[in-house]
Amino acid sequence: MLLLGIDIGTSSIKASVVDAETQQVIASAQYPDVEAPISSPFPGWAEQAPEMWWNNTIEAIKRVNALGKEGKNPFKPEDIGAIGIAYQMHGLVMVDKNQQVLRPSIIWCDSRAVQIGDKAFTDIGEEACLTHLLNSPGNFTASKLAWVKANEPHVFEQCDKIMLPGDYIAMMLTGEITTSNSGLSEGIFWDFQTNSVSADLLKYYGFDESMIPEIRPVFSEHGKVTAPVAQLLGISKGVPVTYKAGDQPNNALSLDVLNPGEIAATAGTSGVVYAVSDQISYDSQSRINSFAHVNHQLGGENRVGILLCINGTGILNRWVKDNFGKDLTYPEMNAQASKVAIGSNGLLVMPFGNGAERMLNNRILGASFHNLNFNLHSQAHIFRASQEGIAFSLNYGFGIMQANGVEPKVIRAGKANMFLSDIFSQALVNVTNTPIELYDTDGAKGAALGAGFGVKYYATPKEAMSKLIKLKVIEPKAADVSLYQEVYGSWKAILEKLMQN
């Protein structure tokens, strides 16, 4: 059997075809070739058109099918037996009764609903929110919907169903609208005490429960590909969509991070550290967030994903490239950075230029450079200091996670995005004093294998990940740990001063 995985990213859509028996990717393609735009009509806003995601999905699948006909590992798209979808988390998609999109999606890094969520946290009650929702309503999907209700009532009144980005792509494939407890928990709609949609949150915001799609297990059928879509994509009619999950739970699945003590990391546009717990637990300040993991209550066991997010990671590296290294490739930037000493000769970077940071109590600090010396620092220093600043921000979040009972022993990551950089990887290993294992996997592959369990080709999610290939292990170096801790201390002092303003 062949499995198709679709990863709905902020920058592009990736599609991969995986051989279910070998668990290896046969062909993979992404679209577009340049990063997809994010619309920001006002400060703090971030929107994308769901129709753009769908059009890019079509093109990505067509590209991967073309590889099946022309590539080194030929395959027949008609042999695809199940589809899995991973997607950028927390986005809001609204459709009417005819499944027509009503407005652009308010995506994960949009900050407009921060005050709405903070007020809900106080009004509903902090203890009630944390014990039932495991989070403040914060800047999540439910609060974004409340913003639409308050500011665009004509749109809200037409809304029949709300969805997350992956739900929308599944709808376009199948014509059916479904969601899951994991998806609802990332939108802060799920009550972990009642195992149902939160009645308190719906009542507070004035949402009718009919707006919530039908809830199905993560690993289950979420509809079958319709005949017109099958003809458009060159695949068989009736192929089931058997898995949907947010990109971070899916990344954890792709790295076989399913049980307590296991930790996954990713560093694409944003950077995330994701740990798994068997406790219904939360951070008292909601600086890190707890969501239902893909295997939550599968077999009756609690599996809660504890997520630390830094919005400005890969997007900072891209900004640096666009403004300081436009004529360079990323490997060439990294080569220049490698010639600069640890600590970048005092240049320190705060990577918080992509909206409100939950880790910083939803503050919008903005990105900033500190100790810049025109007579000392070159573009190579900027390259290195930016990557070190990203690693330092993740380490700051590690401290919060450790205060909440998470004790990382090893970090697993796919060899992709920022983890392609030895500068970044070694900085993160040494500042956290924690080894990193790099694997040959990514979100599209994980989604495909998740679909394999959803269609019952595999007996368990763990079996679906049983043939992971470990590429590299990076161990901390004692001398570098000491140096990085010293530089990190200076970086943290600046952050704490900024937080006081």
Side-chain angles (χ1 to χ4, degrees), residues 432-452:
T432 62
N433 200 21
T434 305
I436 291 178
E437 297 175 350
L438 296 179
Y439 289 86
D440 181 19
T441 191
D442 61 23
K445 180 181 179 182
L449 293 170

Side-chain angles (χ1 to χ4, degrees), residues 307-344:
L307 186 152
L308 159 74
C309 179
I310 308 295
N311 289 349
T313 56
I315 194 171
L316 166 63
N317 206 40
R318 184 193 72 187
W319 182 88
V320 167
K321 181 181 187 302
D322 289 347
N323 289 279
F324 297 95
K326 188 170 290 186
D327 297 327
L328 301 175
T329 64
Y330 285 113
E332 287 170 341
M333 288 170 55
N334 295 337
Q336 286 196 23
S338 68
K339 298 175 183 177
V340 174
I342 289 171
S344 306

Side-chain angles (χ1 to χ4, degrees), residues 12 37 54 59 67 93 110 113 136 179 182 206 324 328 378:
S12 65
W54 175 237
E59 295 303 321
L67 291 173
V93 180
D110 187 288
S136 161
T179 191
S182 181
F324 297 95
L328 301 175
S378 65

Side-chain angles (χ1 to χ4, degrees), residues 252-370:
L253 169 72
S254 73
L255 291 162
D256 193 27
V257 172
L258 295 163
N259 296 304
E262 298 171 344
I263 294 177
T266 184
T269 301
S270 63
V272 170
V273 178
Y274 188 98
V276 177
S277 173
D278 58 2
Q279 303 297 312
I280 305 297
S281 59
Y282 53 86
D283 175 51
S284 60
Q285 297 183 49
S286 208
R287 297 164 299 175
I288 57 176
N289 301 107
S290 299
F291 307 118
H293 194 25
V294 293
N295 59 337
H296 179 55
Q297 295 196 328
L298 186 66
E301 295 182 318
N302 290 326
R303 291 293 182 267
V304 175
I306 301 173
L307 186 152
L308 159 74
C309 179
I310 308 295
N311 289 349
T313 56
I315 194 171
L316 166 63
N317 206 40
R318 184 193 72 187
W319 182 88
V320 167
K321 181 181 187 302
D322 289 347
N323 289 279
F324 297 95
K326 188 170 290 186
D327 297 327
L328 301 175
T329 64
Y330 285 113
E332 287 170 341
M333 288 170 55
N334 295 337
Q336 286 196 23
S338 68
K339 298 175 183 177
V340 174
I342 289 171
S344 306
N345 293 103
L347 181 61
L348 299 170
V349 177
M350 298 292 147
F352 305 120
N354 196 27
E357 294 284 0
R358 292 194 296 276
M359 179 185 74
L360 306 179
N361 300 110
N362 282 325
R363 285 180 173 84
I364 304 176
L365 292 186
S368 54
F369 290 71
H370 299 265

